[in-house]
Amino acid sequence: MKRIFFFFYFILSALIATAEDGYNLWLRYNKIDNGNLLLQYSSRISGIQFNNTTATLKVAKEELEIGLQGLLAKKIPDQINIVNGSIVAGTPSSSAFISASFKNKELSDLGKEGFIIRTAKSNQKNITIITANTDVGVLYGVFHFLRLLQTHQNIQQLNIISVPKIQNRILDHWDNLNRTVERGYSGISIWNWHELPDYIDQRYIDYARANASIGINGTVLTNVNANALVLTKDYLVKAAALANVFRPYGIKVYLTAKFSAPLEIGGLKTADPLDASVQNWWKQKVDEIYQYIPDFGGFLVKANSEGQPGPQNYGRTHADGANMLADALAPHNGIVMWRAFVYDVRVQKSTENFDSSITDPNAQTIASADRFKQAYNEFKPFDGKFRKNVLVQVKNGPIDFQPREPFSPLFGAMPQTPLMMEFQLTQEYLGQGTHLVYEAPLFKEVLDADTYTNAKGSTIAKIIDGSIDNYSITGIAGVANIGNERNWTNHPFGQANWYAFGRLAWDHDLTAAQIADEWIKQTFSNNKQVVNTIEKIMIASREAVVNYMTPLGLHHIMATGHHYGPGPWVDNLARADWNPVYYHHADLFGIGFDRTATGSNALAQYKKEVSDQWKDSNNIEEKYLLWFHHVSWNHKMNSGKNLWGELCAKYQEGVDSVRWMQHQWNGLKNFIDEEKFQQVKMFLSIQGKEAVWWRNACLLYFQTFSKMPIPAGYEKPDHILEYYESLKFPYAPGNGGNN
Ligand code: GCW
């Protein structure tokens, strides 16, 4: 009997050991499964000398202990004396050895967050040193060292010096106080506001660990479509509890500031930024916040956009609004991240007593223009007019996180205003919670794009890291894809986008392939076949989604509201620029948005070198063609096909890529734990179906204009257009109630 029990116990624990639910993300620390390497690591790592004198050093030491214990499958002792294989970690103030061994200059070059990992000899002993100027630098060094082991790197001769290129590396949560998440596809918000501040979920700690492991140092807890209540005492106390959890991990908390808060929660009659009582209200509010959260990071603000109130309600400018908040934050070293995602000029009434009588005098002129141009038109005139602690946060493209966009023309156009990048990790327009789309190639395409602002080589990466315009403050944000799903991101590969964002925010020189490689090894396995296959899938996935949704420069043709699935036919929304027909302009002649001099001339917002590349429909890179040109269905493409034929080919290519991804994945059955294998397999099958849906719906619709057949040899749609037009998904997730 006993024996049988033990047998089952054994089977059960083996199962538990291999079933992976994804909760541990890339911090699995499983035992190194390569015997030789394990021997090598064990001989190099005999113990640690690590004084945990501060909260940050304490968590750093714990992480190192947990990580090494998992990876080497043995307990790692503390060492008082340095011996062969010691890891010595700390700062000059926490470690006498480090203070004696490092010159001040070498460490101060690391700044506030950089670290050194170095193999050295001390009295003939081989040791590894992890050091930094600051405690958090040591923490980053620890995570990097563990990454080296998890990815099976040789650690015999290390000399790594790593300093982040961008200062503020932030996740933006579009999480509401009722725990719904705008554009969230991973369950509900991880912030349990109701139970805070008393209940501290382990998830908060693991969230902080995960972020610190990739260098993310800030989190905006609340949605940019803001709720003023978060600025009341009840909620500040809750936010403070989260800040306490995150602090040791070097992560600052930020909140979204609703511009009408003085009216909504302050009892004032106006929110005019030039009104002394309003300015005073914000000053006191900010002082109060710092009482609860002494290292509060600052505010993220969406103003005069999609119904959010802002300074234009009072005939004031973005600069007036941002500067008022900046003045309140400056004494505490807080910052304002003021978003440039603006396209709402009809000032809307958003709260009962909000003053909507004053409208922007330019409203009509701006409204008649191309939405593409609006952010530039509204912000460029204010270059140099913002306070020093204001960053203007710009989405990567001019419209809205499409599968592919040309870069926003604001980058390079505001040399005297720090511009911050906003990427979207959550896949609002990229297949949402069920499509495998690795976003690093998209991020890199944008970061590497050349704005020519000074000369050739003025890449966006160099603009946002401050090296071109000497910004004194720099930042990058990613709209989070995290929710309370056990594996955080719903799709196991959503984790890769969170990971890639952090890694690129730290070092934008890394390639998409390098980051994929690291992530796969830590998340799945170091097995070559696994790594190569998954890497190929990931790298191909971005172009696949472009092809089956919006090839050749099509954009914003998703369904209304939830943006789930195709809706190129939609033409009945209140604002012209919410309608897909506004973006593709398909007619009997052709398709595409003329943004050249004969059209909206948005191209004129770019430097000449850039607009020269894009202004001619016969020369433009075809991936951007329909972004800038309205061309005939018979337009001759590089392939020799006409535009209609090329569109058919691209949609089919997208579908074929997903099938190829499915096939590749299936080949990994024996290498991936069953739970994750099945999960990804099922998601890929949804993706396959939806790619076909996109292709069929779009081709049938565009065919009503092109009047040409889908060429022989391609699969034919299995329904008629009316069927696709009739599909409704009232409960598709993530609908924030906006356009
Ligand atoms: O992409 C659009 C989304 C909105 C979002 C808005 C924004 C938070 O559809 O849901 O609102 O962008 O970025 O402000």
Side-chain angles (χ1 to χ4, degrees), residues 265-565:
I265 58 168
L268 300 193
K269 296 251 163 351
T270 175
D272 181 348
L274 299 192
D275 183 298
S277 66
V278 174
Q279 295 171 351
N280 198 35
W281 186 86
W282 279 109
K283 270 200 176 8
Q284 286 183 6
K285 182 47 75 184
V286 167
D287 292 347
E288 184 193 350
I289 297 175
Y290 278 92
Q291 280 172 24
Y292 297 114
I293 312 174
D295 55 350
F296 178 62
F299 292 133
L300 171 64
V301 188
K302 171 175 177 178
N304 292 118
S305 174
E306 295 185 329
Q308 290 298 301
Q312 292 175 352
N313 294 67
Y314 303 94
R316 312 299 185 199
T317 67
H318 286 295
D320 293 331
N323 290 345
M324 171 192 61
L325 296 176
D327 288 342
L329 288 158
H332 306 278
N333 296 321
I335 60 170
V336 175
M337 296 169 283
W338 191 269
R339 293 177 88 226
F341 177 71
V342 289
Y343 70 94
D344 198 344
V345 285
R346 292 163 315 148
V347 179
Q348 289 179 3
K349 199 171 157 134
S350 60
T351 63
E352 278 218 332
N353 55 354
F354 189 60
D355 183 356
S356 61
S357 60
I358 312 162
T359 51
D360 177 359
N362 295 321
Q364 284 318 309
T365 12
I366 303 173
S368 62
D370 177 1
R371 171 171 156 192
F372 186 117
K373 293 163 42 179
Q374 194 162 339
Y376 181 101
N377 285 344
E378 284 200 40
F379 279 86
K380 167 100 178 131
F382 296 107
D383 188 24
K385 304 264 162 43
F386 291 95
R387 298 282 191 267
K388 289 236 159 345
N389 56 335
V390 176
L391 293 127
V392 171
Q393 181 166 312
V394 185
K395 288 189 182 181
N396 60 273
I399 300 293
D400 196 6
F401 299 136
Q402 296 300 294
R404 169 166 283 125
E405 298 200 30
F407 64 85
S408 163
L410 268 177
F411 292 111
M414 299 200 42
Q416 299 175 69
T417 309
L419 296 186
M420 189 171 166
M421 171 64 71
E422 179 176 318
F423 285 130
Q424 192 182 42
L425 315 184
T426 189
Q427 294 170 231
E428 175 178 1
Y429 297 100
L430 298 170
Q432 307 193 343
T434 55
H435 291 207
L436 191 169
V437 179
Y438 176 50
E439 293 168 338
L442 184 165
F443 302 156
K444 284 294 283 187
E445 183 174 278
V446 177
L447 292 167
D448 293 345
D450 197 342
T451 65
Y452 286 86
T453 180
N454 286 350
K456 192 169 168 36
S458 305
T459 61
I460 290 188
K462 288 189 194 156
I463 288 170
I464 61 169
D465 76 9
S467 52
I468 288 191
D469 295 315
N470 289 319
Y471 293 159
S472 57
I473 162 171
T474 57
I476 183 166
V479 179
N481 57 355
I482 299 163
N484 77 336
E485 283 287 346
R486 181 69 191 155
N487 73 359
W488 305 82
T489 54
N490 197 53
H491 199 304
F493 279 75
Q495 296 179 0
N497 295 332
W498 177 9
Y499 184 85
F501 168 73
R503 296 290 287 138
L504 281 174
W506 183 278
D507 181 2
H508 53 63
D509 283 338
L510 293 169
T511 67
Q514 274 172 321
I515 297 171
D517 189 85
E518 282 179 4
W519 177 79
I520 299 162
K521 288 176 174 165
Q522 295 169 91
T523 307
F524 290 103
S525 134
N526 277 266
N527 174 296
K528 272 214 175 69
Q529 187 181 339
V530 174
V531 176
N532 292 342
T533 309
I534 299 184
E535 193 174 314
K536 275 194 291 178
I537 294 177
M538 288 170 75
I539 297 294
S541 65
R542 191 288 178 108
E543 212 55 41
V545 73
V546 171
N547 285 333
Y548 64 74
M549 286 189 184
T550 51
L552 301 176
L554 285 172
H555 50 283
H556 218 303
I557 56 172
M558 291 73 188
T560 305
H562 47 58
H563 297 157
Y564 169 64

Side-chain angles (χ1 to χ4, degrees), residues 16-17 19-30 63 66 143 150 202-203 206-207 209-210 213 485-488 495 498-499 519 522-523 676:
I16 290 168
E20 296 217 31
D21 59 18
Y23 180 83
N24 291 335
L25 298 159
W26 47 88
L27 301 175
R28 287 153 71 238
Y29 305 138
N30 283 359
E63 193 73 34
I66 299 170
F143 276 116
Q150 287 208 89
Q202 176 63 31
R203 239 181 216 267
D206 292 327
Y207 168 87
R209 288 176 53 233
S213 78
E485 283 287 346
R486 181 69 191 155
N487 73 359
W488 305 82
Q495 296 179 0
W498 177 9
Y499 184 85
W519 177 79
Q522 295 169 91
T523 307
K676 266 197 203 150

Side-chain angles (χ1 to χ4, degrees), residues 524-730:
F524 290 103
S525 134
N526 277 266
N527 174 296
K528 272 214 175 69
Q529 187 181 339
V530 174
V531 176
N532 292 342
T533 309
I534 299 184
E535 193 174 314
K536 275 194 291 178
I537 294 177
M538 288 170 75
I539 297 294
S541 65
R542 191 288 178 108
E543 212 55 41
V545 73
V546 171
N547 285 333
Y548 64 74
M549 286 189 184
T550 51
L552 301 176
L554 285 172
H555 50 283
H556 218 303
I557 56 172
M558 291 73 188
T560 305
H562 47 58
H563 297 157
Y564 169 64
W569 44 80
V570 175
D571 63 358
N572 60 352
L573 302 179
R575 289 178 59 116
D577 57 7
W578 280 347
N579 288 303
V581 295
Y582 167 94
Y583 292 101
H584 62 64
H585 276 88
D587 56 24
L588 292 176
F589 169 80
I591 184 170
F593 199 132
D594 182 2
R595 293 190 164 104
T596 68
T598 54
S600 79
N601 207 15
L603 265 183
Q605 295 184 335
Y606 292 97
K607 287 276 164 187
K608 186 170 178 312
E609 290 85 340
V610 178
S611 60
D612 279 354
Q613 289 169 27
W614 291 341
K615 70 180 183 201
D616 179 350
S617 62
N618 292 311
N619 269 334
I620 185 171
E621 277 178 280
E622 288 182 346
K623 61 185 184 185
Y624 295 128
L625 179 65
L626 305 180
W627 269 102
F628 294 106
H629 299 277
H630 186 71
V631 284
S632 131
W633 293 109
N634 277 314
H635 179 84
K636 186 141 191 254
M637 303 295 286
N638 294 336
S639 63
K641 297 189 183 73
N642 67 11
L643 176 61
W644 169 251
E646 187 75 12
L647 204 62
C648 294
K650 285 288 174 194
Y651 271 111
Q652 185 61 45
E653 206 178 306
V655 169
D656 291 343
S657 309
V658 180
R659 291 184 182 147
W660 171 87
M661 283 157 61
Q662 289 180 280
H663 181 74
Q664 294 291 312
W665 182 258
N666 289 341
L668 296 177
K669 185 164 173 37
N670 297 329
F671 300 92
I672 308 272
D673 74 276
E674 188 62 12
E675 188 169 339
K676 266 197 203 150
F677 175 79
Q678 288 301 342
Q679 235 181 337
V680 174
K681 186 176 152 101
M682 289 186 280
F683 281 137
L684 281 170
S685 115
I686 295 178
Q687 188 172 0
K689 265 200 231 165
E690 294 188 355
V692 169
W693 169 32
W694 267 92
R695 179 200 62 194
N696 293 351
C698 292
L699 287 181
L700 284 173
Y701 170 72
F702 291 130
Q703 193 176 37
T704 64
F705 301 100
S706 82
K707 312 275 185 205
M708 291 186 229
I710 296 175
Y714 291 116
E715 287 166 36
K716 297 290 175 299
D718 41 9
H719 295 278
I720 57 170
L721 177 59
E722 286 67 27
Y723 164 81
Y724 295 106
E725 289 181 352
S726 73
L727 297 175
K728 297 271 177 299
F729 305 93

Side-chain angles (χ1 to χ4, degrees), residues 23-24 26-32 45 47-48 50 57-78 87 139 142-143 145-147 149-150 202 205-206 209-210 249:
Y23 180 83
N24 291 335
W26 47 88
L27 301 175
R28 287 153 71 238
Y29 305 138
N30 283 359
K31 182 178 171 192
I32 303 280
I45 303 169
I48 57 181
F50 198 154
L57 291 175
K58 189 163 173 290
V59 297
K61 183 175 180 189
E62 266 166 30
E63 193 73 34
L64 188 60
E65 285 168 348
I66 299 170
L68 293 178
Q69 180 157 353
L71 288 159
L72 308 182
K74 64 174 187 201
K75 182 134 179 56
I76 304 299
D78 266 343
I87 297 180
L139 177 67
V142 162
F143 276 116
F145 183 66
L146 291 170
R147 173 158 51 236
L149 303 183
Q150 287 208 89
Q202 176 63 31
I205 300 162
D206 292 327
R209 288 176 53 233
Y249 295 90

Side-chain angles (χ1 to χ4, degrees), residues 223 266 273:
N223 192 353

